[in-house]
């Protein structure tokens, strides 16, 4: 592993990227007050909001131009996902974008891809390899009739008559059990190529979810910081006390690193996918931990109030884990990351 | 965003080859052996050799003793120096102090020193930390009393790293004990060969040597005062914020944050990874095949990656704390072989883990402790209110 390579470390966003970030930031902030998030519980899907997200171009922007997209880069997509996470928007955008990109790469199912680009049909991805016909929990499958899955047979599109039944869960996500025997099945690709497509899609899902987790962490932090500025004890603001301030300083350190790591992973995945294929996993593991820590520290900063359902921090606390856990045990990612290092040294 | 490799022009590529060839010649095993033995963070031969090329201040014009390098070539040089673990502590303190000399020193003195500094014959150390406590820099106690055209210094400093290899120390003194604490400080550039200066070695278990410096009736000319009398706090701000990472050009050719110890952490991680590939445990299993080993090693890779990209002062905290926790974990992962000393039978890659574990601890302390930085992050990044303590504004002894 070359640790002294001459590379730029320029994390500044260019004007277009800045416009994407600000455009979606404004959009999500205006369109998604916390009341909307609460109203969408327990399913975690707001059909109206979804239409508006589609109208923003979010479902098509990441597709190649031939597939009706704008060829937005993964850097653009992580910027959007961070803004989505900031307001914990109840829309299946991450799974949908990743599954649509996978569809486009695999080829076939052109009609579905067109409908997906328009947001008319929601597509999702089973993140675990299918073995022996075992069922698995799939993110957003409670609002998607079309599920992409990979098994020894290949990469398969499962089209169900209607989305599977929602299973209520801590993060209020549209989670559902996926039965690989269910629905109409079309094999889109087979062999090692199919597996590579699947692994890339899972990495993209982790990357975009990592970005959303950075957004969650940032909002959680802000709630804690605002509380710490105004809440008083012994005649001073609690935020003046190091026992309160230092954990918040730790949190902002974790978040700022996770944000750059997500962007770095996105940049490599876009421009040099073969150089550091482990980076999306690195970013996901770090972002998941940052979000877990941010949510807990912020909730705790708010004392008993931070433990109540009424407090907005509850929305972020429950989703910090509720969204990251969908990616499976980070231990598996860490083993991949270490294996990549062993291969490189 | 641009994280791409930098395409070198033929001239820049030739420069890289020149740097590599020159460093191969001057950074000998003797240099590393000297560093292991002394912990000086300095090697006079290497320092003067770099100076002879203008590479101590490579961005300075050639006429000033620099090499007039563009930003890419500066980065090329910095990376090659880092790759070879060239001891650079005194080089870096000299650079920090120079910024203040240029701004605040008597112009005649500055003009006289400049070529000497560029050549490497004059070097500076930081005389900030008091024996009574280094974090409260503005609480400095070493007294300076005016005596005609001179000042008389009495007191002591701890941790003046490199003092025994430097010609001057950039010293914080108290000139008005009655004033609010930030308003009674004056900075001096004190010649270390002045009568009454005594330097005593302090050794760390990280292998570094630093110093206690005692000042007994040391006379310093007023021409060695830096900045106005009682304006020491202002004089100090430039070098302090430079030490804290401010002012680096935002062109992607600087490190993202002020990572502390991340290179040492990475070196240890890489060595452990190589070790795992060829080491079978007494029970016959290959370490690299152990999923628990991989899981825990993977966690450390994440920490090191995060340390590298965490920006600004957050990077200072993150890198140091991740390194300290992570290297202890890495030692557990490898077992007793990790702590075999350089040269011992079975030591891993020259004892790189042993060294990294000892070295880590200091990174949370020097340059401003992690707590001091958390305080700055809380106030300046998060906007949290500052805590007013008895000594926040007053000089409380
Ligand atoms: C190897 C080495 C090299 C060094 N080189 C130099 C040098 O070249 N020049 C120089 O001037 N100094 C140097 N230092 C000194 C270094 O800057 C100080 O050690 C550091 O600033 C801490 O000061 P202290 O050791 O006196 O600890 P103290 O300031 O007494 O602190 C003790 C503990 O209390 C904590 N603490 C103190 N104040 C606060 C606060 N306000 N809030 C929360 N926690 C607090 C600290 O974080 C620390 O954990 C060096 C130190 C070492 C170990």
């Amino acid at each position: 592993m070359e640790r002294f390579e001459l590379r730029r470390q320029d994390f500044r966003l260019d004007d277009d990227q800045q416009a994407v970030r600000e455009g979606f930031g404004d959009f999500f902030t205006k369109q998604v007050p916390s009341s909307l998030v609460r109203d969408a519980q327990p399913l975690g899907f707001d059909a109206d909001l979804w239409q508006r997200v589609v109208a923003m171009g979010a479902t098509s922007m990441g597709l190649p131009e031939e597939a009706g997209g704008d060829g937005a880069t993964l850097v653009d997509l992580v910027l959007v996902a961070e803004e989505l996470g900031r307001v914990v928007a109840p829309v299946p955008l991450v799974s949908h974008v990743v599954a649509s990109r996978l569809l486009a790469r695999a080829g076939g199912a052109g009609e579905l891809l067109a409908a997906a680009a328009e947001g008319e049909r929601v597509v999702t991805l089973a993140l675990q390899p299918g073995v022996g016909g075992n069922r698995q929990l799939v993110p957003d499958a409670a609002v998607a009739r079309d599920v992409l899955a990979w098994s020894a047979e290949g990469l398969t599109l499962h089209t169900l008559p209607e989305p599977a039944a929602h299973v209520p869960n801590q993060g209020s996500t549209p989670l559902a059990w996926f039965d690989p025997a269910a629905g109409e099945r079309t094999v889109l690709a087979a062999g090692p190529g199919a597996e590579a497509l699947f692994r890339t899609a899972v990495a993209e899902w982790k990357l975009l979810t990592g970005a959303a987790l950075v957004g969650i962490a940032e909002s959680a932090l802000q709630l804690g910081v605002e509380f710490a500025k105004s809440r008083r004890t012994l005649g001073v603001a609690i935020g003046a006390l190091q026992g309160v301030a230092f954990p918040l300083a730790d949190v902002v350190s974790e978040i700022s690193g996770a944000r750059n790591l997500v962007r770095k992973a996105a940049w490599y995945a876009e421009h040099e996918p073969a150089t550091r294929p482990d980076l999306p996993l690195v970013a996901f593991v770090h972002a998941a931990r940052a979000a877990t820590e941010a949510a807990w520290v912020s909730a705790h900063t708010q004392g008993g109030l931070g433990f109540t359902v009424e407090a907005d921090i509850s929305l972020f606390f429950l989703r910090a884990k509720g969204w990251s856990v969908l990616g499976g045990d980070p231990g598996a990612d860490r083993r991949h990351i270490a294996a990549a290092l062993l291969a490189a040294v | 965003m641009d994280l791409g490799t930098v395409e070198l022009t033929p001239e820049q590529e030739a420069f890289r080859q020149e740097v590599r060839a020159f460093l191969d010649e001057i950074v000998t095993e003797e240099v590393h052996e000297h560093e292991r033995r002394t912990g000086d963070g300095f090697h006079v031969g290497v320092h003067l050799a770099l100076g002879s090329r203008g590479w101590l201040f490579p961005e300075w014009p050639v006429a000033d003793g620099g090499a007039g390098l563009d930003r890419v070539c500066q980065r090329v040089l910095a990376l090659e120096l880092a790759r070879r673990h060239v001891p650079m502590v005194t080089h870096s303190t000299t650079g920090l102090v120079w910024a203040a000399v240029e701004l605040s020193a008597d112009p005649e003195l500055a003009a006289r020193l400049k070529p000497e500094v560029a050549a490497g014959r004059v070097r500076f150390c930081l005389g900030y930390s008091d024996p009574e406590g280094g974090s409260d820099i503005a609480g400095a106690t070493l007294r300076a009393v005016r005596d005609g055209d001179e000042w008389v210094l009495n007191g002591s400093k701890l941790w003046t790293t490199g003092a025994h290899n430097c010609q001057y120390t950039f010293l914080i003194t108290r000139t008005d004990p009655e004033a609010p604490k930030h308003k009674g400080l004056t900075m001096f550039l004190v010649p270390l060969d002045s009568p009454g200066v005594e330097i005593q070695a302090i050794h760390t278990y990280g292998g570094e040597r630093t110093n206690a410096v005692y000042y007994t009736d040391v006379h310093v000319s007023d021409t060695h005062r830096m900045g106005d009398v009682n304006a020491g706090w202002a004089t100090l701000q430039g070098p302090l914020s430079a030490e804290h990472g401010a002012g680096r050009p935002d062109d992607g050719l600087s490190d993202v944050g002020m990572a502390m110890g991340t290179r040492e952490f990475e070196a240890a991680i890489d060595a452990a990874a190589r070790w795992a590939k060829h080491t079978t445990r007494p029970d016959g299993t290959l370490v690299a095949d152990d999923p628990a080993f991989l899981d825990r090693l993977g966690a450390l890779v994440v920490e090191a990656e995060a340390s590298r990209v965490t920006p600004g002062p957050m990077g200072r905290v993150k890198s140091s704390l991740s390194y300290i926790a992570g290297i202890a974990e890495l030692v557990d992962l490898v077992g007793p072989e990790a702590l075999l000393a350089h040269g011992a039978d079975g030591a891993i890659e020259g004892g790189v883990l042993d060294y990294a574990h000892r070295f880590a601890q200091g990174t949370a302390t020097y340059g401003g402790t992690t707590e001091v930085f958390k305080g700055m992050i809380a106030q300046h990044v998060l906007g949290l209110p500052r805590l007013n303590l008895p000594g926040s504004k007053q000089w409380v002894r």
Side-chain angles (χ1 to χ4, degrees):
Chain A
M1 178 113 158
E2 163 62 306
R3 298 280 192 190
F4 302 90
E5 207 180 6
L6 179 61
R7 276 184 181 272
R8 291 206 186 263
Q9 299 288 316
D10 187 353
F11 282 85
R12 290 171 300 175
L13 301 178
D14 66 27
D15 289 348
D16 290 345
Q17 291 162 340
Q18 197 65 30
V20 167
R21 199 182 67 79
E22 280 167 18
F24 279 92
D26 289 349
F27 169 81
F28 280 119
T29 311
K30 289 204 184 90
Q31 302 285 334
V32 191
S34 61
S35 58
L36 182 143
V37 176
R38 291 173 189 278
D39 290 346
Q41 293 177 157
L43 175 61
F45 178 63
D46 183 308
D48 268 2
L49 177 64
W50 179 242
Q51 287 316 318
R52 278 172 277 150
V53 169
V54 171
M56 281 290 285
T59 51
S60 56
M61 63 188 278
L63 293 173
E65 277 157 33
E66 316 83 75
D70 310 319
T73 68
L74 277 166
V75 174
D76 298 319
L77 295 178
V78 295
L79 297 174
V80 174
E82 182 179 338
E83 297 307 322
L84 172 149
R86 209 182 276 267
V87 299
V88 288
V91 285
L93 186 66
V94 167
S95 305
H96 181 79
V97 164
V98 170
S100 305
R101 286 163 62 89
L102 175 56
L103 264 184
R105 286 198 198 103
E111 212 173 293
L112 172 60
L113 183 57
E118 298 296 322
E120 285 157 14
R121 279 178 58 187
V122 178
V123 197
T124 189
L125 170 70
L127 295 168
Q128 307 299 326
V131 177
N134 288 330
R135 68 175 189 164
Q136 63 174 290
L137 286 166
V138 171
D140 302 311
V143 294
R145 291 205 292 124
D146 301 288
V147 180
L148 289 165
W150 179 75
S151 67
E153 207 185 346
L155 182 68
T156 309
L157 169 65
H158 300 249
T159 299
L160 293 90
E162 59 188 61
H166 179 234
V167 281
N169 58 91
Q170 196 178 101
S172 288
T173 69
L175 197 60
W177 285 106
F178 164 70
D179 171 4
E184 198 183 301
R185 290 151 59 187
T186 320
V187 176
L188 300 176
E195 178 173 3
L197 286 173
F198 169 73
R199 301 267 173 225
T200 301
V202 172
E204 283 190 4
W205 187 92
K206 289 189 174 175
L207 182 57
L208 297 193
T209 299
L213 290 166
V214 169
I216 288 184
E218 181 69 40
S219 287
L221 171 67
Q222 288 317 322
L223 290 171
V225 167
E226 287 316 310
F227 190 91
K229 283 181 186 168
S230 56
R231 185 74 164 186
R232 296 181 74 78
T233 189
L234 301 170
V236 299
I238 59 167
L241 303 177
Q242 295 183 342
V244 173
F246 283 12
L248 293 168
D250 287 336
V251 165
V252 73
S253 303
E254 295 296 292
I255 295 174
S256 58
R259 177 179 294 118
N260 272 354
L261 208 39
V262 163
R263 291 180 184 176
K264 177 174 178 175
W267 190 93
Y268 273 82
E270 186 67 36
H271 300 281
E272 295 181 31
T275 307
R276 292 292 309 276
D278 60 319
L279 272 182
L281 306 183
V282 174
F284 177 69
V285 170
H286 188 47
R289 251 207 21 201
T292 300
E293 183 179 333
W296 133 253
V297 167
S298 174
H300 184 65
T301 298
Q302 298 173 58
L305 295 171
F307 191 44
T308 63
V309 172
E310 283 82 35
D312 276 351
I313 186 61
S314 68
L315 302 175
F316 296 95
F317 177 84
L318 296 171
R319 284 161 186 78
K321 195 50 86 184
W323 290 17
S324 68
V325 76
L326 301 173
D329 175 15
D333 294 331
R334 292 192 296 257
R335 290 193 291 277
H336 269 109
I337 292 162
L341 175 70
L342 260 60
V345 291
Chain B
M1 268 187 85
D2 183 3
L3 308 181
T5 48
V6 179
E7 291 298 325
L8 297 184
T9 63
E11 294 77 28
Q12 289 167 338
E13 183 55 49
F15 174 74
R16 173 149 73 182
Q17 297 313 325
E18 180 191 341
V19 169
R20 286 180 172 166
F22 188 65
L23 294 185
D24 283 348
E25 197 181 303
I26 64 168
V27 188
T28 59
E29 181 48 34
E30 187 273 325
V31 171
H32 298 305
E33 197 283 318
H34 177 269
E35 184 57 28
R36 276 194 298 273
R37 184 162 40 79
T38 65
D40 274 356
F42 172 74
H43 186 280
V44 70
V46 172
H47 194 79
L48 292 173
L50 291 174
S52 73
R53 292 278 175 134
W55 290 351
L56 290 172
F57 291 83
E59 70 281 13
W60 288 6
V62 176
D64 287 348
L69 296 189
D70 62 35
R71 289 279 300 151
V72 168
C73 287
Q74 289 172 42
R75 183 70 177 170
V76 164
L77 176 61
L79 286 171
E80 294 304 323
L81 289 167
R83 184 200 298 281
R84 286 168 179 76
H85 309 286
V86 175
M88 297 293 269
V89 177
T90 290
H91 179 202
S92 100
T93 56
T94 301
L96 290 169
V97 174
W98 178 260
V101 172
E102 198 144 60
L103 277 176
S104 314
D106 170 49
E108 226 169 88
L109 176 66
R112 187 153 50 78
L113 290 179
K114 190 164 193 174
E116 297 300 302
V117 169
R121 289 183 294 267
V122 165
R123 302 173 291 269
F124 304 131
C125 52
L126 306 175
Y128 299 166
S129 301
D130 264 31
E132 291 82 8
S135 297
D136 182 14
I137 294 190
T141 58
L142 189 147
R143 282 285 275 130
V145 178
R146 187 151 205 159
D147 178 15
D149 287 345
E150 294 193 328
W151 294 79
V152 183
L153 313 182
N154 274 292
S156 55
K157 291 282 174 183
L158 273 195
W159 319 113
T160 310
T161 306
H164 59 302
N165 289 314
C166 290
Q167 285 62 43
Y168 296 88
T169 179
F170 184 46
L171 192 71
I172 309 183
T173 69
R174 182 147 310 270
T175 35
D176 184 352
E178 307 306 325
K181 76 171 184 180
H182 295 86
K183 298 193 170 145
L185 300 168
T186 304
M187 302 296 306
F188 290 93
L189 198 63
V190 179
L192 282 161
D193 60 2
S194 308
V197 173
E198 189 197 334
I199 299 171
Q200 282 179 14
I202 299 175
H203 296 281
T204 75
Y205 51 74
E208 301 114 314
R209 171 189 168 155
T210 175
N211 301 287
V213 183
Y214 300 93
Y215 301 80
T216 311
D217 290 332
V218 174
H219 286 251
V220 185
S221 159
D222 189 53
T223 56
H224 284 68
R225 175 165 48 79
M226 304 269 283
D228 291 336
V229 176
N230 293 330
W233 190 244
T235 308
L236 195 56
Q237 286 322 297
L240 260 194
S241 54
E243 190 174 1
H244 295 171
R248 286 186 290 209
D250 194 10
D251 59 3
L253 285 167
S254 309
D255 289 336
V256 177
M258 37 175 318
M260 306 253 303
T262 305
R263 290 261 183 236
E264 287 76 7
F265 188 25
E266 287 170 342
I269 288 172
D270 290 355
R274 282 187 289 268
W275 170 86
K277 287 207 291 191
H278 66 70
T279 302
T280 40
R281 294 212 175 96
D283 69 3
T285 56
L286 186 70
V287 176
D289 290 339
D290 174 0
F293 176 89
L294 293 177
D295 185 341
R296 291 164 67 191
L297 181 68
L300 304 184
V301 174
V302 173
E303 289 298 298
E305 285 285 350
S307 298
R308 261 225 172 284
V309 298
T310 302
M314 284 81 80
R316 185 264 174 277
V317 173
K318 173 68 188 170
S319 56
S320 183
L321 297 183
S322 287
Y323 173 28
I324 290 170
I327 190 68
E329 168 80 351
L330 195 65
V331 167
D332 287 349
L333 272 174
V334 169
E337 279 168 81
L339 297 189
L340 297 180
H342 178 83
D345 175 16
I348 296 171
E349 299 189 10
V352 59
L353 277 91
D354 157 57
Y355 168 70
H357 179 249
R358 291 181 286 109
F359 182 76
Q361 314 306 313
T363 65
T365 300
Y366 45 71
T369 70
T370 42
E371 284 70 27
V372 165
F373 271 77
K374 286 184 191 187
M376 297 194 301
I377 293 166
Q379 256 185 59
H380 304 302
V381 178
L382 298 178
L384 290 170
R386 74 180 284 151
L387 185 58
N388 283 310
L389 295 171
S392 293
K393 296 270 161 55
Q394 294 308 312
W395 190 43
V396 183
R397 301 293 340 279

